[in-house]
Amino acid sequence: MKRAIALSLATLFSATAWSADLLQVYRDAVANDARFAAARAQYEAGQERVVQGRAGLLPTVGANASSTWNEVDTHNPLFGTRKFNSNAYGVQLTQPLFRWQNWIQYKQGELQTALAEVQLGQARHDLILRVSQAYFDVLNAQDALAAQSQLKKAASEQLELAKASFEVGTVTITDVHEAQSRFDLASAQEIAAQNDLDVRRQTLVQIVGTDPSPLAGLRPGLTLSRPQPDSIADWASAAEQGAYGVQAQQITREIAAREVERNRAGHYPTVDVVATHGRNSAGFSTSLGGGASRSDTNTIGLQLNVPLYAGGAVSSREREAAALKLKADADLDDARRSAALAARQAYLGVTSGMAQVKALEAAQVSSTSALEANRLGYEVGVRINIDVLNAQSQLADTQRQLARARYDTILAQLRLKAAAGALGEEDVQVIDALLAE
């Protein structure tokens, strides 16, 4: 709706283009981000693992054929030299009846396919966080540039006032030099802020694929809500079970456990049904004449193979798999602890960020009042130029910190949902609602 309104205004009045919001930028990133495209391709490749595992349970069919020219010298005057061409072909079907390692490999294929799905979900979480981080980094850089430009303007006005006051003799040359110094410093910082904005915007372009500028900013006076449930222990517990990193490691551990069983099955016998059909034909000629022969063969039966000794390789692979299973156990424990820690850090980031926003909002009011008081005091002669310049710098710094605190708090909310494995496009829509129309 807001895009339609903006587009209509642009058409009617040729004023400004509509601003891209976070949801649109995220959807563009889903379509264009190279890292997420690689994750999708990896997911599609992972879907084939279950197909490959199932192939070990299904019959295999092979065919062979040959054609051979033969010259046989019998050293017998009666038969002389025989010359003939022999042809043969055959078809063999093998259906496994008992191959325990193939069954385990099929179950591993199912798990590997499930792992690919989890990894794609993790990549989607990563994309949301990267897009949001880049988006708010651009907004923060814009706020910093705006604050620095305002500070430069205020320093310029203070410089002109100091020069005028010096001309009438109410201030010393020191005041003029201080004002000039602050103006020059503000000019240099404005250039740095513009450069930082350009870098942040290019980072967003790398993810999205195009430049989505201008971006919609946060609504003035917005109020951030506390996490629900409002308990750090609940979020940590949810992360230990639902985090994508934990889910992936749980599947990896199960694959490792089945790998132990698969290698152990190398000691087991195998039983297959084997059916064949073959034909051999040959035509020959001798000094006494020629002839031809043909034979067809059909067989079906059971084939038993019993492994006896393979130089210790089977036992070695079994021990290797057991050690890797222990590693997977440790990795799973580490993943759960890391997920719980990430959830706690994100929760504290939200709560402390909200407290910081509230304190900085009060500080902004105080800094504004202090600047006005110092300007008035300078005009009546009870304050010097440096007091006004310091008050201007303090207000600009407070505004930058307040903007950064708001963005960091919003990002911490997204990280908290991601830590619990519950981050999705609907959460982007919630954040998008905080942006200006």
Side-chain angles (χ1 to χ4, degrees):
M1 182 63 183
K2 59 186 175 185
R3 292 182 197 150
I5 294 174
L7 183 58
S8 299
L9 291 175
T11 304
L12 293 175
F13 304 108
S14 299
T16 57
W18 58 271
S19 298
D21 56 26
L22 179 61
L23 182 60
Q24 180 59 47
V25 171
Y26 165 68
R27 288 174 176 171
D28 289 343
V30 170
N32 299 314
D33 179 57
R35 194 183 305 179
F36 188 67
R40 276 199 304 262
Q42 183 65 42
Y43 165 76
E44 292 173 1
Q47 300 307 295
E48 300 301 323
R49 301 306 293 270
V50 65
V51 178
Q52 295 168 12
R54 186 169 56 241
L57 305 178
L58 299 178
T60 60
V61 180
N64 61 81
S66 65
S67 179
T68 308
W69 173 252
N70 305 271
E71 292 188 8
V72 181
D73 187 357
T74 61
H75 299 285
N76 186 327
L78 182 62
F79 295 102
T81 301
R82 301 176 60 192
K83 300 179 180 180
F84 62 94
N85 189 74
S86 60
N87 302 295
Y89 73 84
V91 180
Q92 177 173 303
L93 179 146
T94 303
Q95 171 62 59
L97 290 184
F98 180 79
R99 286 181 177 264
W100 190 244
Q101 60 269 40
N102 288 17
W103 174 256
I104 299 301
Q105 191 168 353
Y106 167 61
K107 303 306 289 185
Q108 285 180 316
E110 290 183 328
L111 291 169
Q112 288 164 339
T113 297
L115 179 60
E117 295 175 359
V118 170
Q119 290 171 337
L120 181 63
Q122 193 168 21
R124 192 177 299 276
H125 274 193
D126 175 68
L127 180 62
I128 293 175
L129 293 177
R130 287 190 293 116
V131 168
S132 301
Q133 180 74 61
Y135 187 98
F136 288 120
D137 280 347
V138 172
L139 291 186
N140 185 65
Q142 290 178 170
D143 292 340
L145 178 59
Q148 199 59 50
S149 298
Q150 184 64 32
L151 180 60
K152 177 185 175 181
K153 180 181 178 182
S156 176
E157 294 173 351
Q158 194 65 28
L159 175 60
E160 294 302 321
L161 180 59
K163 288 179 179 179
S165 299
F166 175 72
E167 290 176 359
V168 298
T170 57
V171 300
T172 66
I173 191 63
T174 302
D175 292 315
V176 177
H177 291 165
E178 288 175 346
Q180 183 67 55
S181 174
R182 287 301 179 93
F183 174 77
D184 294 339
L185 178 61
S187 299
Q189 291 175 337
E190 183 185 38
I191 295 172
Q194 180 63 58
N195 180 71
D196 183 63
L197 174 59
D198 293 340
V199 171
R200 300 296 183 181
R201 184 175 287 120
Q202 288 304 312
T203 301
L204 182 59
V205 169
Q206 180 184 4
I207 300 173
V208 179
T210 58
D211 189 353
S213 299
L215 301 180
L218 293 178
R219 287 188 285 105
L222 65 89
T223 301
L224 301 176
S225 58
R226 293 182 65 84
Q228 295 299 324
D230 195 1
S231 168
I232 191 171
D234 290 343
W235 282 102
S237 177
E240 288 179 344
Q241 301 300 322
Y244 272 120
V246 174
Q247 293 182 44
Q249 199 55 52
Q250 285 175 330
I251 296 175
T252 301
R253 176 188 176 278
E254 184 63 25
I255 292 174
R258 291 184 179 273
E259 184 67 12
V260 175
E261 191 174 358
R262 190 181 74 85
N263 281 283
R264 185 179 298 124
H267 297 289
Y268 302 163
T270 62
V271 179
D272 302 323
V273 173
V274 180
T276 64
H277 167 72
R279 169 173 291 182
N280 290 279
S281 61
F284 63 91
S285 63
T286 66
S287 59
L288 299 179
S293 66
R294 190 183 77 177
S295 64
D296 292 325
T297 304
N298 296 294
T299 67
I300 186 170
L302 295 178
Q303 181 174 292
L304 171 68
N305 289 291
V306 181
L308 297 178
Y309 182 67
V314 176
S315 298
S316 176
R317 286 194 291 267
E318 184 179 354
R319 292 192 299 270
E320 178 189 18
L324 291 176
K325 193 266 182 183
L326 293 177
K327 176 184 179 297
D329 290 339
D331 288 341
L332 175 58
D333 187 44
D334 179 67
R336 285 173 173 160
R337 294 181 185 182
S338 298
L341 176 60
R344 291 188 177 96
Q345 290 174 333
Y347 179 89
L348 294 175
V350 175
T351 55
S352 63
M354 294 177 66
Q356 188 177 15
V357 167
K358 185 176 181 180
L360 287 170
E361 287 174 344
Q364 184 180 30
V365 174
S366 301
S367 297
T368 302
S369 300
L371 176 58
E372 294 173 353
N374 276 281
R375 281 175 174 169
L376 180 60
Y378 182 78
E379 292 174 0
V380 299
V382 297
R383 289 290 184 182
I384 61 176
N385 191 56
I386 192 65
D387 295 327
V388 178
L389 296 173
N390 287 337
Q392 290 172 347
S393 297
Q394 180 178 337
L395 176 59
D397 185 61
T398 301
Q399 290 172 336
R400 285 194 295 266
Q401 290 187 50
L402 176 58
R404 180 76 268 177
R406 284 173 175 157
Y407 300 138
D408 287 345
T409 303
I410 292 173
L411 289 170
Q413 290 177 331
L414 295 176
R415 292 191 186 99
L416 181 59
K417 297 295 292 289
L423 183 62
E425 185 172 309
E426 63 277 6
D427 297 293
V428 179
Q429 294 173 340
V430 171
I431 302 301
D432 195 65
L434 302 177
L435 303 177
E437 296 289 337

